[in-house]
Amino acid sequence: MSLIDSVSLPRSFRLPRVDGLIQWIVPLAIIAIWQVASVTGFVPTRVLPAPSDVLLAGWKLLLSGELVRNIWVSFWRASIGFLIGGSIGFAFGLANGLSQLSAKLTDTTLQMVRNVPHLALIPLVILWFGIDESAKLFLVALGVFFPIYLNTLHGIRTVDPQLIEMGRIYGMSDGELFRRVIFPGALPSIFVGIRFALGIMWLTLIVAETIAASSGLGYMAMQAREFMLIDVVVLSILIYALLGKLADSASRVLERLTLSWHPAYWKR
Amino acid sequence: MQTAVRSSLPETEFTSRANFAPHARVVREERQGERQAQTTGLPLSIRGLRKSFGDNEVLRGIDLHIPAGQFVAIVGRSGCGKSTLLRLIAGLDKIDAGSISFGQDVQPEDIRVMFQEPRLLPWARVLANVEVGLGRDRALGDAHARAEKALTEVGLADKRDQWPSVLSGGQKQRVALGRALVSRPRVLAFDEPLGALDALTRISMQRLLERVWRDQGFTAILVTHDVAEAVALADRVLVIDEGRIAHDVTVNAGRPRQRGSAELAGLEGSILSHLLSADDRT
Ligand SMILES: Nc1ncnc2c1ncn2[C@@H]1O[C@H](COP(=O)(O)OP(=O)(O)OP(=O)(O)O)[C@@H](O)[C@H]1O
Ligand SMILES: [Mg+2]
């Protein structure tokens, strides 16, 4: 035992530092090239401001408190919408994966709703909720619902039936069978759903905030467009990218923690 | 150093099971110093057992008595119903007609099955996988200790904290054996447990099976494709054909058995010819 521990420890120490640096080389290089291109006038600042200008705009907005407030509003909308849509999707996925009756009752309906692009509902949603918070939350929740629902359902349905039989033979109760066999077996698929959902979450939010909002990053970008503040527009786009990356990293960390048994998560 | 005591016992010292059993018990009591009741096998009586799937009559009246502690091997053509019989004995499927009795009330923990696939939980460490075998006793305080003991019995104590995916096929099957043994079952049914292993691993697994069976005295029912394996391990070999027990062959050779001895080879030949003649008729 102790031998194995001492072998696996140094590896987990070494990897994050090297890998953490490598993945940032390309983005940094792009920014450097961009800066040079702007300063030399190769790219007109009316088209694309220099990174330093964008940074400066960000600094000003940060000082005025506007930036933090807008980021916070968008982050809050994203998380709450994700939590609502995700939990409902997860609950339906569980129910329909575990119970034939529930699946017969609801699956067809859900599949039909899925075929409507949720962004097509924006006019309807505005009529229903106005440009209220609930409109954005509703759209995000709806967008997040399906990837989580579908992947939870798929994960539960594809748990190895031999393992389930094994659990029954060894006298597991229904609850125990779920906790020890079905849920861990479905987890890799659930994570695929979460990663998909995170992408959809940001996309939905950007669109919704651009069209119908009075705060948030999308709103900040639209305001800036009206006043021709192109550096702020670019800044909001970059922040969206950063937030998206952050959400993805968080889900990766969670994935690696909970799926540490899976050989696919050992290297890298 | 419990393993050392056991594995340093040369197997050839014991010439028959009668000789071995009391000795083994002494060893165990010295080792663990605990007064665990010696588990004993259960006898098994099957009367007029039938099972069909739709129109497919798989078992058409099986009559069989297995005395407590006997090692029985079941052979037969593919699809003749060996697995079906085993699943009925283990209570995994419903009986159509007839009966299976163990002579007394049995707990679920008394009867265990081992399959060709190890069926380990990939997300549980080796030790936790063995603990699964305790059934309802998992919640008790000594679960860890018992699981560790079972792991030691199958020679994998040093792998307790590994994920199953790092183990070799033979090691996985040994963990599955440990999981089946941990509840001290009184009937242990094997459905081709060694079918997927290479020849060398097979032989060492066969030795392990024989050793735990002699140690623990459970009634063993082994389904196998390999007639040589059947005669090497079993007291008795049953040939199933057309849904019935077509031949019931007693293997009298003493233990430990000499693989490839003339006596076993002769038996193997005659069982094979039974199987082949059944095959020719179809
Ligand atoms: N759940 C089931 N539903 C329908 N038919 C079944 C089922 N289980 C087994 N059978 C049929 O019963 C027959 C016996 O199957 P069984 O698995 O017992 O054979 P076997 O002797 O174990 O074969 P093998 O040596 O190939 O494992 C086969 O014809 C099989 O198709
Ligand atoms: Mg079979």
Side-chain angles (χ1 to χ4, degrees), chain A residues 1 4 159 162-163 165-166 169-172 176 180-182 184-185 260-261 263 266, chain B residues 87 92 112 115 117 119-120 122-123 132-133 135 138 160-163 165-166 179-180:
Chain A
M1 284 164 273
I4 285 129
V159 173
Q162 293 189 336
L163 285 185
E165 189 185 57
M166 184 281 296
I169 295 173
Y170 284 106
M172 291 187 189
E176 226 178 341
R180 301 181 65 130
V181 182
I182 298 175
S260 54
W261 55 270
W266 290 348
Chain B
R87 293 176 61 85
L92 301 182
R112 288 291 185 226
F115 297 95
E117 327 79 38
R119 301 194 183 186
L120 303 178
W123 41 84
V132 166
R138 261 191 301 275
R160 48 168 286 174
D161 292 323
Q162 299 282 20
W163 297 117
S165 39
V166 305
R179 181 179 64 191

Side-chain angles (χ1 to χ4, degrees), chain A residues 112-135:
Chain A
M112 268 158 52
V113 177
R114 181 169 79 100
N115 285 308
V116 180
H118 67 293
L119 292 178
L121 295 181
I122 288 183
L124 193 61
V125 169
I126 293 179
L127 283 179
W128 283 346
F129 301 102
I131 56 165
D132 204 11
E133 280 314 301
S134 33

Side-chain angles (χ1 to χ4, degrees), chain A residues 127-149:
Chain A
L127 283 179
W128 283 346
F129 301 102
I131 56 165
D132 204 11
E133 280 314 301
S134 33
K136 267 85 70 185
L137 295 185
F138 179 85
L139 282 170
V140 171
L142 191 67
V144 156
F145 173 89
F146 283 104
I148 295 206
Y149 166 68

